[in-house]
Amino acid sequence: MTWESMIAFNLVLLAALASPGAAMLYVIKTTVASGRTAGILTGMGLGTAAACWTLSAFLGLEALFQLFPWTYAALKIGGAVYLIWIAVQTWRHARQPLFEAATPHGRSFLSGMVVNFGNPKSMLFAAAVIVVVFPKGLAALQIGLVVLNHLALELIFYGCFAILLSAPSARRGYAALKPVFDRIAATLLGALGLRLILEK
């Protein structure tokens, strides 16, 4: 493994993190509704689950999904149902004041993990990038370094994102347009969940 491989992995990962998706939408909603700490904890949960998917890709979980397709289907449907549940709750609370719709901090980390664990595409993405970027037969120490690097990058990204979004001006702007933002987020999260259920 070379530093060039790690840099390439990080660049692809940053591009994926910055693209709109279930994780990005969820951390935005949690941060502006519940504050910086909840946003950081949600990001920690998202990052932990994503790093676990990367480790699983190295350990060959994709082969398990191919061998037992029902495990992939079960995980995908479970994740889709959770995303739809979040969408429904977001839509229902769209008109509530910001503080009434806040997510308890204790649930933020777990919720972040569930969102990313419920999306096996995170693992498939990690597996595809790993196959392209890294050579076969990495030592356990090298695999550990890649996974820790992935975790650190996710934590830094979501931590900085949460700090920026928790600024008073960002929260005031969100509070003013909360019904619109929440319903857009609910629609997108629900669509992602339905897509996971419907696609083959």
Side-chain angles (χ1 to χ4, degrees):
M1 183 179 70
T2 64
W3 285 111
E4 288 82 1
S5 298
M6 189 71 83
I7 290 169
F9 177 74
N10 286 346
L11 290 174
V12 173
L13 182 57
L14 281 171
L17 284 170
S19 64
M24 177 70 78
L25 289 170
Y26 192 64
V27 80
I28 289 171
K29 175 191 173 299
T30 303
T31 301
V32 294
S34 304
R36 180 185 304 174
T37 302
I40 291 172
L41 288 171
T42 300
M44 289 173 64
L46 291 166
T48 300
C52 287
W53 278 129
T54 294
L55 178 60
S56 298
F58 273 116
L59 298 178
L61 190 56
E62 186 177 10
L64 176 66
F65 286 158
Q66 291 175 353
L67 190 60
F68 301 105
W70 64 268
T71 58
Y72 177 83
L75 189 58
K76 185 172 76 166
I77 291 171
V81 168
Y82 186 68
L83 287 176
I84 292 170
W85 182 82
I86 292 172
V88 170
Q89 296 304 311
T90 300
W91 188 280
R92 284 182 58 208
H93 297 296
R95 289 196 173 276
Q96 290 186 2
L98 205 54
F99 67 89
E100 290 183 24
T103 303
H105 291 170
R107 248 184 347 170
S108 299
F109 178 81
L110 183 60
S111 295
M113 285 191 71
V114 171
V115 166
N116 258 359
F117 273 139
N119 185 10
K121 287 188 172 182
S122 296
M123 190 280 298
L124 298 176
F125 169 80
V129 173
I130 286 168
V131 167
V132 172
V133 172
F134 296 108
K136 289 183 179 180
L138 290 185
L141 185 61
Q142 292 174 315
I143 291 173
L145 181 61
V146 174
V147 173
L148 287 175
N149 167 80
H150 185 170
L151 177 61
L153 195 62
E154 295 248 356
L155 295 183
I156 291 168
F157 178 87
Y158 285 122
C160 292
F161 201 59
I163 290 169
L164 289 173
L165 286 175
S166 63
S169 57
R171 287 174 62 81
R172 282 195 302 271
Y174 176 81
L177 296 171
K178 182 178 180 296
V180 176
F181 286 147
D182 277 12
R183 284 177 176 160
I184 290 172
T187 300
L188 293 174
L189 287 169
L192 286 168
L194 287 173
R195 183 178 174 185
L196 277 175
I197 290 175
L198 297 174
E199 71 180 2
K200 296 180 179 180

